Amino acid sequence: MMQPIFKEFHNDQEVVEAIQSLKSKNINEDDIYIITHDEDRTDRIADEAEANTIGLDEETLGTAARNLFRKKGDELRAKLEELGFEEYHAEELEEKLDEGKVIVVVQHAPEGFDIY
């Protein structure tokens, strides 16, 4: 499986604009995910941008069950791995989330595509 592409943001409004830009470039809404360390913030941005969060739909039942007992960081790493990131990469991204960043992930991006 191809690694998803991602970009980190500090500002919620930049996230919304980036997602609108992705959609204008024919990226399928179902392939765009927003991840933050704060579920309320994630939901708020996703609602405004009309993008996805990683909920139970994207998690396998095993991961969902294990996540009930995990700390937040472990849970986010597991979710990132489910989106297709290697374990070491998921750990790096989770550290960025710890710093308060928002990460936009695009699955199944066309070859050579980048998030601006």
Side-chain angles (χ1 to χ4, degrees), residues 6-7 11-12 24 32 35 44 53 71 79 92 95:
F6 71 94
K7 185 170 180 184
N11 174 304
D12 295 2
S24 74
I32 304 171
I35 307 167
R44 199 170 53 245
T53 61
K71 290 190 182 115
K79 288 178 175 186
E92 288 174 12
E95 286 172 18

Side-chain angles (χ1 to χ4, degrees), residues 1 15-16 21 25-26 38 46 50-51 53 60 65-67 74 90 92 101 107 114 116:
M1 178 167 47
V15 174
V16 172
S21 170
K25 294 177 180 140
N26 295 324
D38 171 357
E50 294 178 10
T53 61
T60 61
R66 287 189 300 274
N67 278 345
D74 294 340
E92 288 174 12
K101 294 183 178 152
Q107 274 191 310
D114 214 348
Y116 295 103

Side-chain angles (χ1 to χ4, degrees), residues 70-95:
R70 283 187 168 128
K71 290 190 182 115
K72 188 70 180 172
D74 294 340
E75 184 182 328
L76 287 167
R77 280 193 299 279
K79 288 178 175 186
L80 286 162
E81 287 175 37
E82 290 234 342
L83 283 178
F85 288 102
E86 301 283 337
E87 186 177 347
Y88 74 91
H89 212 151
E91 286 176 19
E92 288 174 12
L93 291 175
E94 197 271 323
E95 286 172 18

Side-chain angles (χ1 to χ4, degrees), residues 10-77:
H10 299 273
N11 174 304
D12 295 2
Q13 192 53 45
E14 288 174 357
V15 174
V16 172
E17 289 166 12
I19 289 170
Q20 289 166 343
S21 170
L22 289 169
K23 290 179 186 176
S24 74
K25 294 177 180 140
N26 295 324
I27 297 296
N28 188 327
E29 190 175 309
D30 293 341
D31 290 332
I32 304 171
Y33 292 88
I34 297 171
I35 307 167
T36 76
H37 231 301
D38 171 357
E39 284 180 38
D40 290 336
R41 183 180 185 194
T42 302
D43 291 342
R44 199 170 53 245
I45 299 169
D47 285 347
E48 190 174 342
E50 294 178 10
N52 296 305
T53 61
I54 309 174
L56 288 175
D57 295 350
E58 290 75 26
E59 288 183 77
T60 61
L61 206 50
T63 300
R66 287 189 300 274
N67 278 345
L68 292 174
F69 303 102
R70 283 187 168 128
K71 290 190 182 115
K72 188 70 180 172
D74 294 340
E75 184 182 328
L76 287 167
R77 280 193 299 279

